[in-house]
Amino acid sequence: MDKEQAVYYPTEFLNSLNLPGMPPHMLNLKVDSSITLLRNLGPPKLCNGTRLCVSKLMANIIQATILTGNNNKGESVFIPLIPLIPSDMPFVFKHLQFPVHLASAITINKAQGQSLKVASINLETPRFFHGRLYVVCSRVRTPRNLYIYALNGETKNVVYPKALE
């Protein structure tokens, strides 16, 4: 924001910054992708952490449908470009961006104790320890909503015999 400091921070450097609470410089979205709101735009409907589904992409606005919450679920909303100013940097700059990022998948550990309508598991790389595969499969409400991808239909469930003694 200070034009005199602009010569010290090249555009390539500023574009490479990945700051917490800030969207990435290059935000690649498609229609039907799930996104998470990073700022309060109109509480209580549009709050930080609200999950949305992209309906339409325009130059300065994203039209999306609210996926979470009891009162506003299914409602269509507009997310505008807004100026974002990070506060945890040694210099001040303004970034004009949509205050969203792609919604992330839930981890196996965070899924414990939750009941999911739909779950998908990628078993392409064996990364399950004893009991975790069970946790993943047992979180979904009905088996027909459980989607499993395994290369050649096989995976390795790692069991440590000492843990069973």
Side-chain angles (χ1 to χ4, degrees):
M1 290 175 58
D2 182 1
K3 293 186 190 252
E4 292 179 13
Q5 286 194 347
V7 294
Y8 300 117
Y9 304 103
T11 304
E12 294 79 20
F13 168 72
L14 294 173
N15 293 346
S16 72
L17 295 176
N18 191 8
L19 304 170
M22 294 283 289
H25 169 69
M26 190 61 94
L27 185 63
N28 294 318
L29 297 177
K30 295 180 181 178
V31 172
D32 292 330
S33 58
S34 293
I35 56 175
T36 303
L37 196 58
L38 296 173
R39 296 283 188 274
N40 290 333
L41 294 181
K45 189 187 332 185
L46 293 175
C47 295
N48 183 13
T50 301
R51 288 193 47 227
L52 307 135
C53 179
V54 175
S55 303
K56 189 174 181 183
L57 294 165
M58 296 169 262
N60 297 316
I61 291 180
I62 297 173
Q63 183 177 355
T65 305
I66 298 175
L67 297 175
T68 56
N70 295 331
N71 298 334
N72 303 308
K73 188 174 181 180
E75 189 174 330
S76 184
V77 294
F78 294 99
I79 310 296
L81 278 172
I82 63 170
L84 301 170
I85 303 170
S87 59
D88 54 351
M89 294 294 294
F91 54 93
V92 181
F93 69 97
K94 185 173 19 177
H95 184 57
L96 189 64
Q97 180 64 289
F98 292 110
V100 299
H101 65 74
L102 282 172
S104 56
I106 191 169
T107 64
I108 296 164
N109 292 332
K110 291 198 181 221
Q112 290 186 22
Q114 294 191 25
S115 182
L116 305 172
K117 291 179 184 175
V118 178
S120 63
I121 309 161
N122 184 348
L123 300 176
E124 192 172 12
T125 306
R127 56 175 60 100
F128 289 95
F129 297 109
H130 181 68
R132 286 198 175 168
L133 185 56
Y134 165 78
V135 169
V136 172
C137 294
S138 67
R139 296 301 96 203
V140 68
R141 292 179 185 160
T142 61
R144 72 173 173 270
N145 290 338
L146 176 63
Y147 299 92
I148 300 174
Y149 173 76
L151 191 63
N152 300 325
E154 297 178 358
T155 190
K156 185 176 179 180
N157 192 12
V158 180
V159 177
Y160 294 105
K162 288 188 177 189
L164 300 175
E165 291 178 5

